């Protein structure tokens, strides 16, 4: 391999590397642990377990801990999980 061929190959590799660096999206996601979720939802560990089992709340198991994506839990989603007509089941501070 000549020096000129080596330089062309090296340039192609560096160009490919630059394309790969640009195409990788940087995602920084905040997660809540089970205790934080219980406080947010104002529910017991058993209720959180049931919500997790029936698929109402998304989660990922990391080691022996469940983590929940924070961006998912907006007020609309929280109200859809519970009965908004029942004031004891609301997740916001509004009272009727």
């Amino acid at each position: 391999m000549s020096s000129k061929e080596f330089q062309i190959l090296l340039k192609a590799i560096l160009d490919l590397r630059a394309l790969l660096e640009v195409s990788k999206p940087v995602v920084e996601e905040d997660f809540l642990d089970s205790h934080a979720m219980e406080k947010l939802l104002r529910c017991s560990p058993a209720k959180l377990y049931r919500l997790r089992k029936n698929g109402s709340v998304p989660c990922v198991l990391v080691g022996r801990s469940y983590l929940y994506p924070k961006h998912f839990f907006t007020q609309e989603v929280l109200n859809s999980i519970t009965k908004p007509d029942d004031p004891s089941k609301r997740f916001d501070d509004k009272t009727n």
Side-chain angles (χ1 to χ4, degrees):
M1 179 182 294
S2 70
S3 175
K4 186 175 181 181
E5 290 173 332
F6 178 75
Q7 291 298 327
I8 292 171
L9 185 59
L10 182 61
K11 183 178 181 325
I13 290 172
L14 292 175
D15 289 343
L16 285 174
R17 181 180 285 171
L19 285 174
L20 288 174
E21 292 291 323
V22 170
S23 66
K24 281 195 263 184
V26 177
V27 177
E28 291 186 21
E29 176 125 20
D30 291 331
F31 288 93
L32 300 172
D33 63 355
S34 292
H35 182 68
M37 279 300 296
E38 290 164 13
K39 288 175 70 175
L40 176 69
L41 299 177
R42 298 182 196 155
C43 68
S44 68
K47 175 67 176 179
L48 184 59
Y49 171 80
R50 287 191 301 273
L51 291 171
R52 189 172 58 232
K53 286 302 257 187
N54 71 19
S56 295
V57 294
C59 64
V60 62
L61 182 63
V62 178
R64 292 174 36 186
S65 300
Y66 285 97
L67 297 177
Y68 307 87
K70 189 175 184 178
H71 77 298
F72 179 78
F73 297 98
T74 62
Q75 188 62 44
E76 292 79 23
V77 174
L78 293 176
N79 285 338
S80 72
I81 293 172
T82 62
K83 300 173 187 168
D85 299 333
D86 184 1
S88 68
K89 301 295 182 190
R90 291 183 62 91
F91 291 131
D92 58 5
D93 294 330
K94 296 177 185 175
T95 56
N96 292 336

